[in-house]
């Protein structure tokens, strides 16, 4: 599907050196990032988590996070 294609393209274009984004303890679990991730790499919790294997390093989540809790890993 689209998700797999995006992931494979990211691996090719980033020469297999993607640095997934991570969610820090500043996360307030507001949910703003969830619908903005194009590959659904974010999971809910007390502090949300980003699946490093799924993340395509696009930075969309970091751009929309009102708490600035998402940083490049």
């Amino acid at each position: 599907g689209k998700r797999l294609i995006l992931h494979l393209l990211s691996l090719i274009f980033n020469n297999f050196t993607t640095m997934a984004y991570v969610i820090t303890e500043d996360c307030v679990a507001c949910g703003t990032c969830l619908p903005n991730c194009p590959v659904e790499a974010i999971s809910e919790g007390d502090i949300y988590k980003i699946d490093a294997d799924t993340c395509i390093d696009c930075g969309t989540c970091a751009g929309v996070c009102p708490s600035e809790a998402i940083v490049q890993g």
Side-chain angles (χ1 to χ4, degrees):
K2 178 183 172 188
R3 189 171 155 184
L4 177 62
I5 292 169
L6 285 172
H7 182 67
L8 292 174
L9 286 174
S10 75
L11 291 176
I12 294 165
F13 288 128
N14 292 301
N15 200 24
F16 298 93
T17 58
T18 55
M19 296 296 290
Y21 279 75
V22 293
I23 301 177
T24 69
E25 64 275 0
D26 294 331
C27 175
V28 295
C30 69
T32 302
C33 57
L34 280 178
N36 287 286
C37 180
V39 293
E40 301 176 0
I42 303 168
S43 57
E44 296 180 66
D46 292 335
I47 292 177
Y48 285 27
K49 290 190 164 97
I50 297 175
D51 179 1
D53 292 330
T54 304
C55 178
I56 59 169
D57 196 34
C58 69
T60 302
C61 57
V64 299
C65 180
S67 303
E68 298 182 354
I70 305 176
V71 297
Q72 199 163 23

